[in-house]
Amino acid sequence: MPKLKILISFGLIFTFLFPFTRSCFAEETSYVWSSSISTPVSVNSTSSSNIEADSQKDNSNSFHLESPSAILIEQTTGQVLYEQNCHEPLHPASVTKVMSLLLIMEALDAGTISFNDSIPCSENAASMGGSQIWLDPRETLSVEEMLKAICVASANDCVVAMAEYIGGSEEGFVQMMNDKAKQLGMKDTTFKNCHGLDEDGHLTSSYDIALMSKELLNKHPQITKYTTIWSDTLRDGKSELTNTNKLIRSYKGITGLKTGSTGLALYNLSASATRDDLSLIAVIMKAPSTKVRFAEAQKLLDYGFHTFSFKQFGKKEELVKSLSVTKGVSTHVDAILSEQAGTLIEKGKEKNIEQNLILEDSISAPISAGQKLGEISFVLDGKTLSTVDIVAKNEVEKLNLFTMTKKVIYSWIDLLRS
């Protein structure tokens, strides 16, 4: 029996030394890869960080909108499906609160605030006017109650109280808003306040509203818990709230997002909806009436859902291929999708999409977890629609004297236990 273990040990050493004698050839190859996934899921492609003008870009107002500025985008990728004067700086009114909500949600994610924190009301917050729930400087509300009041009733007093709590002052919070706008590429935007009441120089565009709406919905989907409330109460039922977004109770798949109206802004709306895993955002600015803003937002959303679909091909971390590894402690590594894979497509063209996978046949260690190994792209009529990275599922150390010895010792331990 001891001789048998010695022979097995020598066999193990030979097995681990053998990879050093292998030559390493990494050749880039094109494959056509088809996933067996049948359940549609939303995707994040590599183009999702920026809104790209495409498809139905149209400055001629082919939809005959009464509103001077509008845009329709696919929420996940940001692809523009229709636009009309989308870079014209206009007064946003309470649609401003999309950015305020984004910063509140980021603070919650960062742990700097929690849903149960008690938020005080300053004299400044209580004096805002406009849409409000008439906060009293002597009372406090939780962050969750504040979110509900902001999303449903567009409460100016609540958003200012939250701004002061997070930013130290409203001015400090507004600086955070402008910093975030710059980070998101909102080049048409200057924020002067966190609530949207008319103020000189407080301007943004339908394009930029789409950008910040996309960021809020994609990064913080839990916000729809509040933006889809039609009616609710605060203060133990004493304060009734009714959503200012009338599409909440009438439009199939609506997920939000924010209304706004002032004397200068007229009637604005960022409306979001999801049907059959296709998510859209329609922005209307300076509509002549509240009826027109809802009708024209619905018109854009209807167009998007009627014309486009979202074709899904694979889930995040789904196995694409197992690659051979040279000079590593393991002989294979799993190549997986870095993100869920899919693309926006006009209805009826789904079957014409080509899936091209660029991936090495083999790779030399060391390999780090998450290391890019290749990519998959989705092509229609020679045009690349989206691209997703293929990455290593796990780390593979390079085989050397130390790692070889460690493996032999672990193998000896396993052998003795058996």
Side-chain angles (χ1 to χ4, degrees):
M1 188 66 179
K3 289 183 178 181
L4 177 60
K5 291 184 176 179
I6 292 172
L7 287 172
I8 292 173
S9 179
F10 276 118
L12 288 169
I13 292 172
F14 176 77
T15 299
F16 290 116
L17 286 175
F18 179 71
F20 286 111
T21 66
R22 297 164 61 188
S23 58
C24 177
F25 297 97
E27 183 176 338
E28 191 175 81
T29 310
S30 291
Y31 300 90
V32 175
W33 171 74
S34 177
S35 169
S36 61
I37 295 300
S38 59
T39 302
V41 289
S42 297
V43 315
N44 287 316
S45 72
T46 54
S47 64
S48 63
S49 59
N50 295 295
I51 291 181
E52 299 291 344
D54 194 18
S55 190
Q56 300 295 319
K57 180 176 179 181
D58 189 350
N59 287 305
S60 63
N61 194 6
S62 60
F63 284 154
H64 306 291
L65 303 181
E66 294 183 56
S67 306
S69 179
I71 192 169
L72 174 70
I73 70 166
E74 194 282 317
Q75 178 185 304
T76 317
T77 62
Q79 186 174 342
V80 175
L81 308 181
Y82 177 88
E83 66 92 359
Q84 173 189 316
N85 301 326
C86 69
H87 287 288
E88 182 180 356
L90 296 167
H91 293 275
S94 282
V95 181
T96 298
K97 295 184 177 79
V98 171
M99 180 59 81
S100 300
L101 289 167
L102 175 58
L103 294 184
I104 293 170
M105 298 307 293
E106 287 186 342
L108 284 165
D109 281 357
T112 54
I113 64 173
S114 72
F115 283 105
N116 294 322
D117 284 353
S118 294
I119 309 301
C121 174
S122 67
E123 293 285 352
N124 177 51
S127 67
M128 278 300 104
S131 300
Q132 59 182 315
I133 64 166
W134 295 277
L135 281 177
D136 190 296
R138 296 167 295 180
E139 75 173 318
T140 62
L141 292 181
S142 69
V143 169
E144 181 150 28
E145 290 171 319
M146 290 286 189
L147 276 173
K148 190 185 295 185
I150 296 166
C151 292
V152 179
S154 194
N156 294 328
D157 43 5
C158 291
V159 77
V160 171
M162 287 299 306
E164 292 172 341
Y165 189 78
I166 294 172
S169 64
E170 184 182 357
E171 293 74 19
F173 188 81
V174 171
Q175 183 60 55
M176 293 170 62
M177 293 171 67
N178 284 310
D179 291 344
K180 189 65 179 182
K182 184 177 181 180
Q183 179 187 331
L184 294 178
M186 296 169 60
K187 298 180 180 180
D188 310 320
T189 298
T190 301
F191 291 116
K192 295 291 187 178
N193 59 60
C194 64
H195 42 73
L197 292 174
D198 288 334
E199 187 170 343
D200 289 343
H202 183 79
L203 300 169
T204 189
S205 64
S206 57
Y207 181 94
D208 284 0
I209 290 173
L211 271 177
M212 64 181 180
S213 299
K214 168 179 170 287
E215 181 76 3
L216 176 60
L217 290 164
N218 286 348
K219 297 292 181 63
H220 311 280
Q222 63 271 38
I223 195 65
T224 60
K225 173 184 175 182
Y226 306 98
T227 58
T228 55
I229 295 172
W230 171 242
S231 62
D232 209 328
T233 61
L234 292 174
R235 299 169 173 137
D236 297 323
K238 297 177 182 177
S239 298
E240 295 185 359
L241 306 176
T242 301
N243 205 312
T244 56
N245 182 1
K246 305 309 177 186
L247 295 180
I248 294 298
R249 65 173 180 176
S250 64
Y251 195 80
K252 179 184 175 183
I254 197 75
T255 58
L257 187 61
K258 193 69 197 74
T259 60
S261 61
T262 65
L264 288 177
L266 299 185
Y267 297 91
N268 298 337
L269 174 64
S270 177
S272 57
T274 299
R275 293 182 185 175
D276 299 324
D277 299 291
L278 174 61
S279 296
L280 302 175
I281 298 171
V283 179
I284 298 293
M285 294 195 76
K286 210 170 183 178
S289 70
T290 185
K291 182 178 179 180
V292 167
R293 69 172 166 186
F294 292 128
E296 294 190 340
Q298 181 171 329
K299 190 174 188 178
L300 292 183
L301 292 172
D302 285 346
Y303 161 74
F305 288 125
H306 176 76
T307 309
F308 300 94
S309 67
F310 208 97
K311 180 68 175 177
Q312 295 84 16
F313 299 100
K315 293 181 179 180
K316 181 178 180 179
E317 299 185 358
E318 182 183 344
L319 176 66
V320 176
K321 185 180 178 68
S322 184
L323 302 183
S324 62
V325 177
T326 59
K327 300 182 181 180
V329 296
S330 298
T331 58
H332 291 82
V333 65
D334 286 342
I336 61 174
L337 293 173
S338 63
E339 299 289 347
Q340 295 169 354
T343 185
L344 184 74
I345 185 72
E346 285 188 52
K347 287 185 176 180
K349 295 185 178 181
E350 294 89 347
K351 294 181 179 180
N352 298 330
I353 298 176
E354 296 179 12
Q355 304 170 62
N356 296 326
L357 181 68
I358 307 300
L359 193 62
E360 296 176 326
D361 286 324
S362 64
I363 187 170
S364 181
I367 304 167
S368 58
Q371 178 180 327
K372 183 177 177 178
L373 304 177
E375 62 185 30
I376 183 171
S377 59
F378 305 98
V379 181
L380 178 67
D381 299 330
K383 178 182 178 182
T384 299
L385 302 176
S386 68
T387 303
V388 178
D389 287 344
I390 308 299
V391 300
K393 182 178 181 180
N394 51 275
E395 177 186 17
V396 179
E397 293 180 287
K398 186 173 183 179
L399 188 62
N400 52 38
L401 183 60
F402 173 75
T403 55
M404 181 190 70
T405 303
K406 183 170 68 172
K407 291 289 286 185
V408 170
I409 291 172
Y410 288 157
S411 296
W412 260 103
I413 293 172
D414 290 340
L415 183 63
L416 292 171
R417 283 176 177 172
S418 63

